Each structure stands twice: as C-alpha cells, then as structure tokens.
Amino acid sequence: MVLFVLFFTVVMEALIAELHFPESIRYINDLFILALFLAMAVKPKQTMLRTHCRALPWLTLLIVLVFTLSAAIRGVAPALYLWALRNTFRGFVFFYACVTYLDREDLPGIFNKLFVLQIVSLFLALYQHYGLGLIQDNVGGIFGHGNGAGVNTFNALIVVYYLNRYISGEEPVWKLVAVSISALIIAALAEEKVSYFYLLIAFAVGLLFTKASAKTAVALLIAVAAGYVGISILQSLFPNIMEGMGSLEAIDKYLTASWDDSYVIPRVGAFTYITNIFFQNDPIGLLLGVGFGNGETSSFAALNGPFYLMYGWMHYRWFTHQWVFIECGWIGFISYLSFFVALGIWLLKERFVADDDRAKPYLVMGIALTVITIISIWYNATLKVDMCYLAFFSLSIGIVSLNTREAGVTQHV
C-alpha cells in the first residue's frame, strides 16, 4: 500500500490531464492512507521502534492536541475539523507508514522506478510546451498541467538521491547527469525558479558532508554544467526572468511582494501582515488562530469554512506557513514547525554517530530534503496538498535507511 500511494501520487495528475481520468481519482489515496493508519494503530510499538527518533511521535501528538484545542476553543464544526485533520495529517500518516513498512533494501528499487518516471516527465513537459503550447505554471510534466508542488518536490527528491548514491559509489554518473539536466529543463519549461534553489541546496549539502575526492569534483562539475544548461533554457524561454533573480534586492522584492489578483499576503512578512489584519485585538487568535478547520475549503460546500468563505480570496492556502498560522496561531505554527526541525537535528546528529557506513548517504539525503521541506513551508503549500506524500516520503528516507532486513532494528535515541 505504501508503494501504491507513492507511485500513484506521481502519475495521478498526468492521468487526469493527459488521459482525462476523473478528478475524483485523487481521493483513492485516502482509502490507502486510512488502511495504513489502522494497520499501524494495531501495532503502535512497531512504528515507535522503527521511527528511531523518539521525539517525533510525541511532537506529532503535540501538533494534534494543539490543533484540536484550537478547533475546540473556536467552535469549529465537526465536519470541518475532520476535513482539516485529513488535509494536515495524511502526510504524517504516510511518513510513519514509510518508516514502518519500508527497509533500506527497498530504496534502490523504488528510485529505479522513479528514475524512469522522471524521464517520462521530461518528455511530457516537452510535449506540453512545444506540442500543446503551454507555458509557465501550466507545464508540469508527469504532474499534469501546472503543479509546482509536485515538480519541485520530485526534482529535489530524485537529484538528492542520485547525487549521494553516485558519490558513495552506488550509482553510475550518467544517471546523476540525466536527473540533474532533466530536472532543470522541466523547471525551466514550468518557470519553477525555486527548483534551482532546491537543487543548489541538494548539491551544497551533499558535497558538504563528503570528503573531497574525484567523485565530488565530478559532482561539482555536473552541478555547474546542469545549472548553466537550465539557466540558459530559462533565459531563452523567458528573457526577462533574471530581472527577478539577478540580485538580492530583486529577490527580496519578489518574496515580499503582494498582488491583489494573486497572493495577497507576501511570503516573507506574512506573520506581521496576518497579525495586523486579523489578530491585532485578539490575543486568543494570535496564540491559537481562527480555529483549525475554519480556513478549509473543498469542492463539497459543507466543507467550506466560514473564514475561507470570507477571506479565501487572499489565497493564504497557497502557503503552508500562512495556512497554519491563520488557523492555529503562534502555538500551532511553532508546534508544527518543531516536527521538521527536530527531524533535521536528529538526522544531523545521526550522520556523525551512525556506525553503518551504508546508511550515511541516506542520512545526508534526509538532511538535504528536510532543509528543502522546511523552506517549502514558506514557499508553497506542498505539505497540505495531494503532493504531500512525496515530501513526507523524502523526509522518511534517512530513518528508513536504519531499518534493514539483514540486521533487524536497533533502537536509536
């Protein structure tokens, strides 16, 4: 079931956009997530043991309790509360399912299949742009006609994996070249500028935790060459694009911008903006938000929260940090963020104390992907939409690498 959710998430939007499957197929994963949750609930000790980092389950419970308190104090309707639980915690359920049911031995086979899907995505993106005439946000490769959450997360995941596996001598260089160039071509066609930043982080973290060698030199050359190719394509498609990326001043202007016809609340400075508009004279709101579930929306009318009906035009649901802060306030947001920060710190510690050299490349992958996931909290809403399964799978890789069939499971504090 874990593998079905992962691979169906990758191909689902292409089935809808290119083969005209009904949009309702997006709910298929919900059935598997519920089944996985029930299976883990029967044997919680197994999940606790294989999670290794003891803090994570307790932090997850803290998030649930704080969000529930927010809903209770604000009188959120039960249906909206349950819908918010589904949207917010399905990714967490999948994270625990990955660490419970996957072993390190499963990962190479999984990524061999994801590699094929990345090549398929490249050809689909080329077809969408040059065949269908789609541009920018309407190009998504295997992720349909516009899905930055999928494109950016998948690009980061596939490059991080093949970079660290190449450096460790487990994968050939041509695969690293293929995923690096394909990722940047897809990003250029979709004008997903953040993909370039994610891949910069991927190479920086991968090389930072690796001793200098011929392989690291080759990896660095690949990063430079792929970056040059990707930026050249981006400039050829969008000649003025560098005006928004060419200086720190331009980047700051982009991140703090606000447009009435797009996202009204800026990415950077959102907490101050939201506080001034909604919580200035509401200390309870500042701490616990408008209520977990009141900011939700759905194609089902009964699942449109009162806050969304009034302020949905502000598009706060495009960004995880805005969505969580509005619904659950400072206590909710800090609780939510603490899960990812704790995971990153634990992976960093484990990278230096792990005795198993074969796990170390995966731990570095986990560090890079956790950093990227934390950045995504401010950049988009990946963790709250259907593509959350890709992000939470990426977060699980470091822990999964410590679970092996040949050696069993060893408890790590």
Side-chain angles (χ1 to χ4, degrees):
M1 288 191 288
V2 171
L3 296 182
F4 176 87
V5 173
L6 176 62
F7 288 109
F8 188 67
T9 300
V10 176
V11 304
M12 175 177 65
E13 294 300 328
L15 295 178
I16 295 170
E18 310 301 347
L19 299 180
H20 308 295
F21 276 58
E23 294 184 4
S24 58
I25 66 171
R26 294 191 179 108
Y27 295 105
I28 292 175
N29 274 341
D30 287 35
L31 301 175
F32 288 90
I33 291 299
L34 178 59
L36 288 167
F37 174 77
L38 295 175
M40 289 186 290
V42 173
K43 296 181 178 180
K45 289 184 178 179
Q46 180 186 19
T47 299
M48 292 285 287
L49 181 64
R50 291 174 64 90
T51 301
H52 297 288
C53 179
R54 291 179 179 177
L56 294 183
W58 293 110
L59 287 172
T60 305
L61 179 60
L62 174 65
I63 298 168
V64 174
L65 292 176
V66 170
F67 285 17
T68 301
L69 177 64
S70 167
I73 288 178
R74 291 301 199 177
V76 175
L80 288 173
Y81 170 72
L82 293 174
W83 184 242
L85 277 179
R86 177 260 185 189
N87 289 337
T88 302
F89 291 102
R90 53 183 167 167
F92 287 87
V93 172
F94 189 61
F95 169 84
Y96 288 111
C98 289
V99 302
T100 301
Y101 299 116
L102 296 179
D103 297 307
R104 184 169 69 209
E105 292 86 349
D106 296 316
L107 294 175
I110 290 172
F111 277 93
N112 284 339
K113 296 178 179 65
L114 293 178
F115 176 85
V116 174
L117 292 176
Q118 173 72 349
I119 303 306
V120 172
S121 186
L122 171 62
F123 284 103
L124 274 175
L126 292 170
Y127 164 72
Q128 289 162 358
H129 180 73
Y130 294 104
L132 299 180
L134 302 179
I135 61 171
Q136 296 173 298
D137 291 344
N138 293 314
V139 175
I142 204 168
F143 295 99
H145 294 171
N147 189 334
V151 169
N152 295 322
T153 306
F154 192 66
N155 278 346
L157 174 64
I158 201 82
V159 171
V160 165
Y161 176 82
Y162 280 101
L163 168 65
N164 288 281
R165 289 278 287 177
Y166 164 70
I167 292 174
S168 65
E170 301 294 332
E171 292 287 351
V173 67
W174 69 267
K175 282 193 171 183
L176 174 58
V177 172
V179 296
S180 299
I181 293 179
S182 63
L184 290 172
I185 291 175
I186 295 169
L189 294 172
E191 202 200 0
E192 290 293 347
K193 298 180 286 293
V194 76
S195 266
Y196 291 78
F197 185 51
Y198 284 178
L199 298 191
L200 177 62
I201 293 172
F203 276 92
V205 172
L207 295 175
L208 180 65
F209 286 91
T210 306
K211 293 181 180 179
S213 67
K215 286 186 178 295
T216 57
V218 171
L220 183 59
L221 288 174
I222 291 172
V224 172
Y228 176 79
V229 171
I231 291 174
S232 296
I233 295 173
L234 190 64
Q235 283 187 297
S236 69
L237 293 172
F238 311 104
N240 298 323
I241 192 69
M242 294 309 293
E243 293 179 6
M245 299 174 63
S247 68
L248 292 176
E249 182 181 354
I251 293 173
D252 177 70
K253 182 178 179 181
Y254 172 75
L255 293 176
T256 58
S258 174
W259 295 283
D260 290 340
D261 61 344
S262 184
Y263 47 84
V264 178
I265 306 172
R267 286 182 173 95
V268 176
F271 299 122
T272 300
Y273 187 102
I274 292 166
T275 298
N276 290 337
I277 297 296
F278 300 114
F279 301 143
Q280 197 164 29
N281 298 309
D282 184 4
I284 299 298
L286 190 61
L287 294 176
L288 291 169
V290 301
F292 180 60
N294 276 338
E296 296 292 331
T297 187
S298 169
S299 56
F300 303 102
L303 299 178
N304 289 315
F307 184 88
Y308 176 81
L309 291 174
M310 187 171 293
Y311 297 108
W313 59 272
M314 299 182 79
H315 302 304
Y316 58 87
R317 293 176 69 258
W318 290 4
F319 308 100
T320 301
H321 70 303
Q322 296 179 18
W323 192 346
V324 173
F325 183 64
I326 283 175
E327 284 199 319
C328 302
W330 273 117
I331 296 177
F333 179 76
I334 292 172
S335 300
Y336 186 81
L337 184 63
S338 67
F339 175 91
F340 305 97
V341 173
L343 175 60
I345 293 172
W346 182 84
L347 288 168
L348 185 62
K349 182 211 74 172
E350 198 66 22
R351 166 61 182 79
F352 290 104
V353 303
D355 296 326
D356 188 349
D357 288 339
R358 289 176 295 177
K360 289 181 179 179
Y362 292 103
L363 292 168
V364 175
M365 294 177 207
I367 294 167
L369 291 166
T370 301
V371 171
I372 288 168
T373 300
I374 291 173
I375 291 171
S376 80
I377 292 174
W378 273 263
Y379 192 80
N380 56 33
T382 300
L383 296 178
K384 298 267 275 181
V385 298
D386 293 325
M387 294 299 116
C388 69
Y389 301 121
L390 286 178
F392 279 95
F393 168 72
S394 74
L395 293 172
S396 76
I397 289 174
I399 296 176
V400 170
S401 72
L402 301 176
N403 298 326
T404 66
R405 294 172 194 149
E406 62 184 36
V409 176
T410 302
Q411 182 68 42
H412 291 253
V413 179

